[in-house]
Amino acid sequence: MGNAQQRPPGRGDGGGQRTQPCNPGQGRGRGKSPIINGTQGNNRTHTADESTVSSPADTGGDSSYLDAPAGALPPPLARLKNEGNRLFKNGQFGDALEKYSQAIAGCEDAGIDSPEDLCILHSNRAACYLKDGNSTDCITDCTRALELQPFSLKPLLRRALAHEYMERYRKAYVDYKTVLQIDVSVQAAHDSINRITKVLIEQDGPRWREQLPEIPLVPLSAQQHRREEPPSEEMLQARADRKAEGEARKAEVRFSSLKKEGNEMVRQGRFQDALGKYNECLQIKPNECAVYTNRALCYLRGGRFQEAKQDCDSALEIEPANKKAFYRRALAFKGLKDYLSASTDL
């Protein structure tokens, strides 16, 4: 269990920062202490409390906020929870953990049956463990919180992050996917899914999905349906940029594949077949010099000297010093019986 003097770098409130989780290989059990991601549309997902509690700095030294109601908890236990929230906000994670533990023990001793309040206490204590780098106890508390209140967003996110830090990528993936069923606007979960998917593909190969535990189906009652605001101009532009980048990557892959197939057909002497591949290449990238010189070779082998010359002209417009284009145009001129031009190119 951590203390205030051993707390990790970073802000105590856990909100507003957008940092990457630790790299694979860090954070086994009580490894490097994490700084928790914020989330778009719910930027308090990783703060310590589900209710608003002021700190002494906010209240001018007045400690009456400690006596604020906290769900169905009796005043002594509510005070422990509120004090834990204040300590967490101030970065005193070990001390906050003590207060939450006392509140949990007090609920058990008093036989308090309030799943919502106990869920929050376990989730808040899990946040302290996570800040202290104790992923194992964080997972235990998050699991208990989810037993009390199934499909609670914060315990799921915290458990997912703890699993990721312990390199339990399959379990982390399942928790992040469950989070997105509850609230699709949690950007941190989207980012983590993308990151973990790459790791799982490397780890388990193309059939990596078959290795995953079952992803629970979130009931409609637990899903958070929000009225979407019209996207801003910046958001629309970002979406358009991402779409364009994706299309460009696909086009590049397609182009490389077609060019490779065309080159192989040339090596096999299948010049007519290669022409079709090069034609498709130029539809994707019309300013690729090497494709023009390759297609010119196919035209030469087919006796189509005028078309070979035109392709060489196009190549030289793109690269005026391209030697292959000059040589193959010379051969085209020779085929056209324009020996002076052929000599000039040579």
Side-chain angles (χ1 to χ4, degrees):
M1 182 159 55
N3 54 53
Q5 286 71 33
Q6 294 175 330
R7 69 178 182 266
R11 291 168 53 95
D13 59 4
Q17 298 192 44
R18 297 281 312 272
T19 58
Q20 292 294 332
C22 61
N23 293 327
Q26 294 180 341
R28 294 182 184 269
R30 296 181 61 89
K32 182 178 178 182
S33 186
I35 297 176
I36 306 173
N37 289 2
T39 60
Q40 180 179 340
N42 186 7
N43 62 6
R44 299 194 65 219
T45 300
H46 294 294
T47 55
D49 188 28
E50 276 74 357
S51 61
T52 301
V53 177
S54 301
S55 69
D58 302 323
T59 58
D62 182 9
S63 62
S64 60
Y65 70 93
L66 292 174
D67 297 317
L73 296 176
L77 300 181
R79 186 178 180 87
L80 285 170
K81 178 191 171 187
N82 293 340
E83 192 170 358
N85 295 342
R86 189 265 302 175
L87 290 166
F88 187 95
K89 185 174 182 180
N90 291 340
Q92 297 170 266
F93 308 119
D95 295 333
L97 190 151
E98 290 281 5
K99 298 300 178 183
Y100 295 136
S101 296
Q102 291 172 26
I104 291 169
C107 289
E108 294 172 353
D109 292 342
I112 293 173
D113 183 20
S114 177
E116 182 178 355
D117 291 313
L118 279 168
C119 173
I120 291 172
L121 287 170
H122 280 285
S123 179
N124 286 358
R125 189 169 69 174
C128 296
Y129 284 132
L130 198 58
K131 285 288 189 179
D132 193 38
N134 186 348
S135 297
T136 300
D137 286 337
C138 172
I139 290 169
T140 299
D141 260 350
C142 289
T143 301
R144 178 56 183 150
L146 290 164
E147 290 170 353
L148 291 161
Q149 291 281 97
F151 304 114
S152 297
L153 197 64
K154 290 189 180 183
L156 273 169
L157 275 168
R158 289 167 182 160
R159 190 172 70 176
L161 198 56
H163 279 312
E164 187 175 357
Y165 286 175
M166 296 181 75
E167 300 184 10
R168 298 173 177 174
Y169 298 116
R170 299 185 190 109
K171 291 184 177 181
Y173 182 95
V174 169
D175 277 348
Y176 283 127
K177 276 291 190 181
T178 307
V179 165
L180 291 176
Q181 288 185 69
I182 299 168
D183 185 354
V184 74
S185 71
V186 182
Q187 187 59 44
H190 286 287
D191 296 340
S192 297
I193 285 290
N194 292 335
R195 182 172 58 251
I196 291 174
T197 298
K198 295 176 183 177
V199 174
L200 289 176
I201 291 172
E202 293 177 3
Q203 175 181 296
D204 299 331
R207 305 182 69 177
W208 61 275
R209 293 181 186 276
E210 298 176 9
Q211 308 297 321
L212 292 174
E214 184 178 356
I215 300 174
L217 183 63
V218 176
L220 194 62
S221 59
Q223 298 177 20
Q224 299 179 16
H225 299 281
R226 301 181 181 182
R227 182 179 300 172
E228 292 189 4
E229 297 181 1
S232 65
E233 185 175 341
E234 291 81 4
M235 180 65 73
L236 290 172
Q237 184 60 49
R239 289 177 183 174
D241 291 343
R242 284 196 298 270
K243 182 179 179 181
E245 288 173 6
E247 291 175 351
R249 283 194 295 270
K250 290 180 182 178
E252 185 63 38
V253 170
R254 177 68 175 157
F255 173 85
S256 297
S257 176
L258 288 167
K259 183 179 176 185
K260 183 177 179 181
E261 290 176 28
N263 294 346
E264 182 61 30
M265 289 172 178
V266 167
R267 280 191 286 272
Q268 296 172 1
R270 298 164 54 195
F271 300 106
Q272 189 60 39
D273 293 336
L275 275 174
K277 299 298 180 181
Y278 293 139
N279 289 339
E280 289 186 67
C281 283
L282 290 172
Q283 289 177 5
I284 298 170
K285 295 176 73 172
N287 294 318
E288 190 72 15
C289 180
V291 178
Y292 283 108
T293 57
N294 288 357
R295 192 171 69 171
L297 175 61
C298 295
Y299 284 139
L300 286 171
R301 294 303 175 89
R304 298 164 65 176
F305 302 118
Q306 186 60 42
E307 288 149 302
K309 173 195 170 298
Q310 290 172 352
D311 267 1
C312 293
D313 290 342
S314 297
L316 289 168
E317 287 179 8
I318 299 167
E319 292 184 17
N322 188 285
K323 288 180 281 187
K324 278 188 179 180
F326 276 119
Y327 180 71
R328 289 174 183 170
R329 191 172 68 175
L331 295 178
F333 278 132
K334 180 183 177 184
L336 294 169
K337 303 187 185 305
D338 185 349
Y339 302 114
L340 179 60
S341 296
S343 176
T344 301
D345 277 351
L346 289 173

